[in-house]
Amino acid sequence: DKPRKTLHAYSVPMSGSTPARDGSKRPDGSDYTTVLSEDQWQEKLTPDEYHVLRQAGTEPAFQGEFTDEKRSGSYSCRACSAELFTSDTKFDSRCGWPSFYEPLAKDSVVYLEDTSMGRTRTEVRCAACVGHLGHVFEGEGFETPTDLRYCINSISVNFDTP
């Protein structure tokens, strides 16, 4: 067996593959709290939301509605409303997508190994519904407390002000 990679700041084991198509189990084998059939997800989400959240697509850089958002507030999963990030941890990475240096809580997201682009990346998914959020990168030299950049698709989240 190949050793599992870990994300430095949280030492979270990544799974060896993406979850089952039905999204019924987390990488640790436990159940997700929000489970819908793919037909139900297609009814609930717009086609673009479905493509990103359920098919691990990516919205175009610099076009998401929250890339330049500066107001105080919280970011929740657009698919299931689970709270994921706060504006306190958002920073301008100039990458074209909203960037955060840590999630709201360590258990609000799950990490999966993603080899879809010919290289290994760490995919970030909602821990409640398995919705694809984006990816997390480490060691890029940003002056943040964690040295992490959570690169999140705007279409995967909603923004709420206090």
Side-chain angles (χ1 to χ4, degrees):
D1 271 314
K2 222 164 87 173
R4 293 189 185 262
K5 295 183 179 180
T6 59
L7 195 62
H8 174 71
Y10 297 118
S11 297
V12 177
M14 297 185 304
S15 71
S17 64
T18 57
R21 180 94 173 118
D22 67 4
S24 62
K25 298 287 181 189
R26 291 183 179 158
D28 67 3
S30 63
D31 292 326
Y32 286 97
T33 55
T34 304
V35 180
L36 300 177
S37 71
E38 288 307 308
D39 287 340
Q40 290 171 312
W41 283 121
Q42 284 180 323
E43 288 176 25
K44 180 180 174 88
L45 303 169
T46 68
D48 288 340
E49 291 168 348
Y50 183 84
H51 174 66
V52 174
L53 284 157
R54 304 304 305 164
Q55 298 176 319
T58 302
E59 67 187 353
F62 299 101
Q63 300 197 13
E65 63 186 304
F66 303 124
T67 303
D68 297 319
E69 180 61 61
K70 305 283 190 228
R71 295 176 293 165
S72 293
S74 61
Y75 295 83
S76 59
C77 178
R78 191 166 290 194
C80 73
S81 301
E83 291 187 351
L84 301 169
F85 299 94
T86 68
S87 58
D88 293 338
T89 63
K90 188 173 187 287
F91 69 101
D92 184 6
S93 68
R94 297 178 191 89
C95 72
W97 293 274
S99 296
F100 303 86
Y101 60 80
E102 69 183 350
L104 180 64
K106 290 181 185 179
D107 62 355
S108 62
V109 297
V110 293
Y111 305 94
L112 305 169
E113 185 176 76
D114 176 5
T115 58
S116 65
M117 302 292 286
R119 61 187 169 110
T120 301
R121 300 180 297 165
T122 303
E123 181 182 2
V124 179
R125 291 195 178 217
C126 174
C129 74
V130 78
H132 172 76
L133 303 172
H135 292 84
V136 61
F137 302 94
E138 182 178 16
E140 296 180 318
F142 290 106
E143 294 185 19
T144 64
T146 63
D147 198 26
L148 298 174
R149 177 174 60 93
Y150 287 79
C151 184
I152 304 300
N153 290 287
S154 286
I155 201 165
S156 295
V157 295
N158 286 318
F159 178 71
D160 296 304
T161 56

